[in-house]
Amino acid sequence: METVENKYITVAYKLYTIENGEKDFIEEANAEHPFQFISGLGMTLETFEAQIKDLNIGEKFDFTVPTSEAYGEYDDDHVIDLPKEVFIIEGKFDDERVVEGAIIPLMTAEGQRVNGSVVEVKEDVVVMDMNHPLAGCDLNFVGEIVMSRPATNEELAEVASMMSGGGGGCGCDNCGGDCGDGNCGDGNCGDGHECGCGSCH
C-alpha cells in the first residue's frame, strides 16, 4: 500500500470566483501572509490539494476547481428561518451582531459548528442562509508555491490535536472557510483551521 507523504505547504494566491461566465476577485493570500496546510490530512479541498502538492518552491499555478468539487450548487432549501430565541444572550436579543450580512457561527443538533449568513431580521425570526459563501461558483486559484517540505512530527501532532478539538494554531482564510480563522479574510472563519478557501469543507 502506498504511503502518503505529509508535506507542509505554503502558497501565495489570488482567488477568483467564476459564476455565469463572470470572473470576480474574492481574496488574496500574499507571500507575507500565505495560506498554509499539511497535505494528506483532508485540510483543504481535495482538488486544490491535488493540483498543489507535487509542485516545487517557486512554481506557479493557475487552475479552476469546478463547483461540484468545491462547495456545491447553491441550494434554496438552505435558507431557513430561525426563531429569535436562538440568538438571545443574557436575556436580550443580540441585535449588535445579528444584523443583515453578518456571518454567525451556529451549532447543529449533532454539535457541529457551522457558519450562516444573516439575510434578514424579522419580527419573530432571523432568516439565515446556510449555504457556503462560495456555493454555486467555480473557484480559480492563481499563485505560486512559497514553501514545500516534509511535515515534521511536531506539526502533524499539532494538527491532530487541533482536529480533535484541542485547539492549535491554524490559520484560516475567509474562503474556506469554515474557519473562519487566522488570516481570515472576512472574519467568516471561525474555523480557520488555516483554513483557506482551499481548506474548508
Side-chain angles (χ1 to χ4, degrees):
M1 190 170 118
E2 183 185 354
T3 38
V4 176
E5 181 186 10
N6 299 117
K7 292 181 179 178
Y8 174 81
I9 300 172
T10 65
V11 298
Y13 68 76
K14 290 184 178 179
L15 169 66
Y16 301 87
T17 58
I18 303 172
E19 189 175 10
N20 301 322
E22 294 289 320
K23 184 173 178 176
D24 290 312
F25 173 74
I26 296 297
E27 71 175 15
E28 178 176 11
N30 59 31
E32 289 73 35
H33 301 284
F35 170 60
Q36 313 163 51
F37 69 98
I38 295 177
S39 67
L41 300 180
M43 296 176 72
T44 68
L45 290 172
E46 194 174 313
T47 305
F48 176 87
E49 182 172 313
Q51 293 277 355
I52 295 291
K53 65 183 177 62
D54 295 324
L55 298 179
N56 298 312
I57 295 172
E59 282 196 70
K60 298 189 183 308
F61 55 83
D62 181 348
F63 61 87
T64 298
V65 179
T67 300
S68 60
E69 296 173 28
Y71 298 103
E73 297 294 343
Y74 188 88
D75 188 343
D76 290 331
D77 289 341
H78 291 170
V79 179
I80 58 176
D81 291 348
L82 291 178
K84 276 191 166 179
E85 291 75 47
V86 170
F87 305 96
I88 289 178
I89 296 178
E90 296 177 359
K92 176 180 177 294
F93 177 71
D94 188 1
D95 55 9
E96 288 185 14
R97 288 190 300 168
V98 184
V99 294
E100 187 175 325
I103 304 294
I104 307 291
L106 299 169
M107 194 79 75
T108 66
E110 294 77 33
Q112 179 185 5
R113 245 186 62 184
V114 295
N115 288 324
S117 174
V118 179
V119 177
E120 186 180 358
V121 178
K122 296 185 175 180
E123 186 176 346
D124 299 316
V125 300
V126 177
V127 183
M128 297 291 298
D129 185 349
M130 304 308 295
N131 286 285
H132 189 281
L134 299 177
C137 300
D138 294 338
L139 307 181
N140 177 218
F141 293 91
V142 181
E144 71 177 292
I145 305 297
V146 176
M147 171 72 68
S148 180
R149 60 167 171 75
T152 65
N153 288 335
E154 290 77 14
E155 287 164 342
L156 291 168
E158 182 178 346
V159 171
S161 171
M162 177 187 77
M163 291 177 131
S164 65
C170 111
C172 169
D173 264 324
N174 108 25
C175 85
D178 308 355
C179 297
D181 23 326
N183 296 325
C184 255
D186 59 16
N188 86 357
C189 288
D191 331 22
H193 17 353
E194 257 158 35
C195 213
C197 266
S199 75
C200 298
H201 304 269

